[in-house]
Structure formats: structure tokens, C-alpha cells
Amino acid sequence: MTTVKEKEMIQEQFKVRMNEDELLNCMRCGFCLPACPTYIESGYKESHSPRGRIALMKAVVDGLIEPDEDFERSLNLCLGCVACETVCPSGVKYGHMLEEARDIVSQNKKYSLPTSIVRKTVFEGLFPHPNRMKNVTGLIGFYQRSGLQSIARKIGFLGILPEHLALMEKVLPEVATMKEMKNRPVHVEPIGKQTHRVAFFSGCLMDSMFMKTNDATIKLLQLAGCEIVIPEDQTCCGALHGHYGEKGGSKDLAKRNIKAFEDLNVDFIITNAGGCGAFLLGYDHMLKNDPIWSERAKKFTDKIQDVSEILVSVNFHKRVKLELSSQIITYQDSCHLRNVMKTASAPRLLLQSIKGAEYVEMKDADRCCGSAGIYNIIESEMSMKMLDYKMEQAKDTQAATIVTANPGCLLQMKVGIEKEGLSNKMRGIHIVDLLLEAVKQ
């Protein structure tokens, strides 16, 4: 529970740090309401809408309400999908305000000892250190290959976990070996005539748990004629820190990444995870008031591009024959890829170019699936409501393959497939893995 002293400190910091012009920019028109998943799933509760949350932030700044548990709950229940920004006629930067508000609350309250330990371990001890991420992921790989996974399932050990976590364990990708994870390429030549020289942001989870998807991405870029540079000293994008009240940590990671990429003389910095790409794209805003880093951040963000965009720009779907066995495929948007990076048509164009496959658009494909980083772990009830809705729309397409462009979305949709008992009829796959599967050379 937040103490009186902590509430006073939070309130004071809201007055100092929140951008009042942005708070006042919200006209309370309500265009954001039908775009907000938590507003819909909460039974149209105003405090769980973007408009309502902004009103609560303004009320804290004005001293009309205290930043109590109900206020914090409203902030925490938000997915941060920023679908509201895409429909806002005033251009309110809700996502920036949400991150600032969460950071103020987080930095001015005392967490319980277990929560403090977990936060310190995750935000300071794990994600900023790529080798540690690989070591932890390696333990998952050992669990999968050693027979422990089979034993745990046979004796019903996973039954002690909440249903959504047990399902998540079931759909984890097959993890590469430690040797494979630590023997990564740093420079790859193009196949055929060169089109671009690019850098690849390999990420932390993507280059460990989803390493095979990174390998597929590199292969596609090669086939697209790209010379690829993969800096060894890059690190986590900082999205988890930024979204969960550790803004200082995300700034440190941003500076490390900018430094790692800035002297490579590349045309683009390519990403294959919507959440990472969107956060990288926000480095210039995050560091705009830093006299040393603001210009360097702007040059960095100007080069960020999703892999689907560069593939379309070089006519990959015409350079390479794409073909699959007869099947219906559909696409689930990554919220941040669509709403922040503004990439929606490129993935669809690539999927529609695959011979033998029929593309069927899913209703509300742009509505959040409920993954949202670690939201599906810490807010499982709301997350599962969103997933249930999403699976209804996916089933209506009669698709055998659900395609995503973000690792969190991919795991969430795989959980949905398992939850619905459809694993023998339907699969979830990252778009680059499907495209490589479709390449006929």
C-alpha cells in the first residue's frame, strides 16, 4: 500500500514532470474509447480508457485526487498498445504520458521485498546483459532437451501453475544450444546483386529464445540483396524498462545501442520484432532533452525500419518465388508495429504474394491480442479476455496459419490455439519464418 509520504512525493513529481500542454491537448472527445481494448473489456469503465486515464493524471497534477491504489491500478491495467493515438484528432501522445506517469509512481514508492528483488533482478541483473539472457535461455533449452520437460508433463507438475502459464510453457519455441547462441554472425554478405548495406538489431529474447527466427530474418535479408552488419555490443532495446517504470534504465540501454550502431555507415537498422522496433523509434523522444545524445538519437531513429518494409521496398516478393501448400493464412498485427512504426500494409502484401496460400483478413486484426510484453503474466485475467476475443476472430477466418510479427504476440496466439484445442488444425508463426518456409530457390 502506498504511504501518505509516497503519495505526496508522487503528486509533487506529477506537477514537475508531466507535460501539462499534452494533458490539456486531450479534448475529451471520446474517439479513443472504441479503440481501447481495456475500456471495452472492463465493461466500458471510463477510468480504464485513455481519456479517463489522462483525466486522472490531470487531477493528480491539480491536486484534486491522490495517486492512490485505484489510480495506480488504472495505469497498470493499460496495455500501452497506443491504438488510441491512431484515432485521436488532437494527436495526443498518450504513450509518452503513460510511460512518464508509470515511472513517477515506480520511482517514488517502496515495493515489497519480493517485488523489489524481482524488479532488480529483471531490470538490472538480466535484460541489460545479453550473455546472461542467453545463459538463462540455455537453462530452458536444457530443460527441453534433457527429458525434464517430458517428466514434468507426465507427472502433472505443470498442474500447479496457473492455466495460462502452463499453456505458455507448452508453446515455448525449441531453444538453440548454448554453443549456437554464443556463436552468432557479425557480418553477412548478400546473395546476388547488393541492394543495401544494413545493420540488424538482433534483440535480447529474439537472439536467444527466438534465435531461429533471427536466422530466418538474416537469410531473407541476404536474399533481398542486403549486406548485413550485426554489432556485437548491442543490447536490449529497453522496452520492458520503459513500459514498467524504469525509464532511467531504458535511457542507459538506448545510449548503449546508439553507440553500437552509429558508426556503421548503413542505410537502415532492421528490426523483426514490433515491440522492439517501436521502442527504438522512440529513442529521439526519450533523449530529446539530453544535449549530448539528442542529435545522435535522432540519427539513429531515422534509420529504423521493420524487415517487412525493406523486403517490400526491394520487391522481394518478385525477386524470389514464394509458394506454400494450399492453406488459409491470416495476420495478427503487432500493436506497436502498426500503431507506432506505421507498418501494416507491407506484411499483408508479402503474405498475399505467397502462391498456393489464400490470405483472409481477420476481423479486428489491429486490436491487441493481450500479450503486451509481460502483461499476459501480470494481468492474466484481462489478457485472457482479449485472447478469447482474438481467437474467435481467428477461427472465423478458418485459417490454418496465424502470422504475427512480434515474439510476444506469437506466444500469445500459440497459447490461444492450445487453449481452444486447435493445435492439430492451426499454427502460429512469425512472418519471417513463414516467408523463408515459402521461398523456392
Side-chain angles (χ1 to χ4, degrees):
M1 182 176 291
T2 311
T3 67
V4 173
K5 181 64 175 176
E6 287 169 345
K7 289 177 184 177
E8 290 174 352
M9 292 169 63
I10 291 169
Q11 195 142 27
E12 184 59 35
Q13 285 299 301
F14 261 78
K15 292 176 182 178
V16 173
R17 289 175 54 181
M18 293 302 293
N19 187 323
E20 192 156 8
D21 289 339
E22 278 293 340
L23 291 171
L24 291 171
N25 198 24
C26 176
M27 301 186 301
R28 314 288 191 265
C29 65
F31 275 85
C32 62
L33 300 181
C36 177
T38 55
Y39 175 71
I40 296 168
E41 294 295 345
S42 67
Y44 308 103
K45 192 173 181 179
E46 181 72 18
S47 61
H48 294 332
S49 73
R51 179 177 70 177
R53 292 183 179 104
I54 291 172
L56 290 173
M57 294 177 201
K58 182 68 168 65
V60 170
V61 170
D62 293 341
L64 299 177
I65 65 170
E66 288 185 337
D68 57 14
E69 283 71 26
D70 288 340
F71 171 74
E72 188 175 348
R73 178 69 184 140
S74 177
L75 296 182
N76 290 342
L77 201 62
C78 180
L79 292 144
C81 68
V82 297
C84 52
E85 291 189 7
T86 67
V87 296
C88 178
S90 300
V92 174
K93 299 299 181 184
Y94 171 80
H96 293 156
M97 286 191 285
L98 177 68
E99 286 181 6
E100 191 75 3
R102 283 177 170 173
D103 189 62
I104 292 170
V105 172
S106 176
Q107 299 307 313
N108 290 281
K109 66 173 288 184
K110 186 175 182 179
Y111 290 101
S112 66
L113 183 59
T115 300
S116 295
I117 291 173
V118 170
R119 290 181 69 91
K120 188 174 182 65
T121 300
V122 170
F123 294 126
E124 296 180 29
L126 187 57
F127 276 83
H129 307 282
N131 283 334
R132 293 181 191 175
M133 287 290 295
K134 289 176 181 178
N135 288 336
V136 170
T137 305
L139 293 176
I140 297 174
F142 175 77
Y143 166 73
Q144 291 174 332
R145 289 186 293 270
S146 66
L148 287 174
Q149 186 177 54
S150 297
I151 293 170
R153 291 176 177 177
K154 284 179 182 178
I155 65 175
F157 177 75
L158 299 178
I160 67 174
L161 296 175
E163 181 189 9
H164 68 287
L165 291 181
L167 289 172
M168 198 171 292
E169 184 275 345
K170 196 171 183 179
V171 303
L172 288 176
E174 184 180 330
V175 175
T177 66
M178 284 297 298
K179 183 178 179 180
E180 289 171 325
M181 282 191 280
K182 292 193 174 182
N183 186 27
R184 304 299 289 143
V186 295
H187 182 265
V188 182
E189 294 290 343
I191 294 174
K193 184 178 179 181
Q194 183 168 329
T195 55
H196 294 289
R197 174 180 162 89
V198 304
F200 177 48
F201 183 81
S202 54
C204 49
L205 276 177
M206 288 303 299
D207 214 42
S208 51
M209 187 173 293
F210 295 89
M211 195 192 81
K212 292 180 181 179
T213 299
N214 269 6
D215 289 342
T217 304
I218 292 168
K219 185 66 174 180
L220 292 180
L221 289 172
Q222 282 185 282
L223 291 169
C226 294
E227 177 190 1
I228 311 155
V229 183
I230 310 160
E232 291 181 279
D233 48 353
Q234 62 178 295
T235 187
C236 171
C237 67
L240 192 65
H241 295 71
H243 297 326
Y244 291 95
E246 297 289 338
K247 208 168 183 181
S250 63
K251 287 182 179 180
D252 291 340
L253 292 170
K255 292 171 184 178
R256 286 171 60 184
N257 281 322
I258 292 167
K259 188 175 180 181
F261 282 86
E262 64 185 345
D263 294 323
L264 298 180
N265 188 30
V266 295
D267 302 318
F268 305 105
I269 298 170
I270 303 301
T271 70
N272 63 0
C276 295
F279 201 77
L280 296 173
L281 200 63
Y283 279 4
D284 58 343
H285 172 80
M286 188 163 56
L287 297 171
K288 66 180 181 179
N289 295 321
D290 190 315
I292 296 174
W293 290 93
S294 59
E295 185 59 32
R296 295 165 73 178
K298 183 67 170 63
K299 289 178 180 177
F300 177 89
T301 58
D302 284 346
K303 292 186 177 182
I304 299 296
Q305 189 171 99
D306 183 69
V307 61
S308 64
E309 292 283 7
I310 193 169
L311 292 179
V312 168
S313 73
V314 300
N315 287 315
F316 177 81
H317 50 299
K318 296 178 181 177
R319 292 167 60 102
V320 176
K321 183 179 180 182
L322 299 172
E323 186 174 357
L324 288 172
S325 60
S326 179
Q327 61 188 281
I328 295 175
I329 59 178
T330 192
Y331 179 69
Q332 163 61 24
D333 285 285
S334 155
C335 294
H336 287 103
L337 182 61
R338 184 184 184 107
N339 301 333
V340 180
M341 297 186 76
K342 310 302 181 187
T343 294
S345 61
R348 288 170 167 83
L349 176 61
L350 292 167
L351 295 175
Q352 290 164 0
S353 301
I354 300 174
K355 186 179 178 182
E358 177 188 355
Y359 177 81
V360 176
E361 181 73 9
M362 185 195 308
K363 180 186 175 184
D364 292 336
D366 58 346
R367 181 167 160 180
C368 186
C369 64
S371 171
I374 58 172
Y375 187 94
N376 54 359
I377 297 174
I378 61 177
E379 297 289 350
S380 60
E381 183 180 353
M382 180 64 78
S383 174
M384 290 301 105
K385 286 182 180 180
M386 294 175 185
L387 180 58
D388 289 344
Y389 177 81
K390 183 63 61 176
M391 288 308 300
E392 287 302 314
Q393 312 318 311
K395 287 189 292 185
D396 284 348
T397 67
Q398 298 185 339
T401 302
I402 304 175
V403 184
T404 73
N406 188 64
C409 302
L410 177 57
L411 288 181
Q412 183 81 337
M413 297 312 298
K414 284 187 171 185
V415 166
I417 291 168
E418 287 290 336
K419 195 166 181 276
E420 295 288 330
L422 296 172
S423 57
N424 62 333
K425 297 180 180 179
M426 185 183 284
R427 65 170 174 164
I429 190 170
H430 193 289
I431 186 171
V432 298
D433 292 310
L434 185 71
L435 289 172
L436 188 59
E437 182 182 314
V439 168
K440 304 299 178 187
Q441 292 181 292

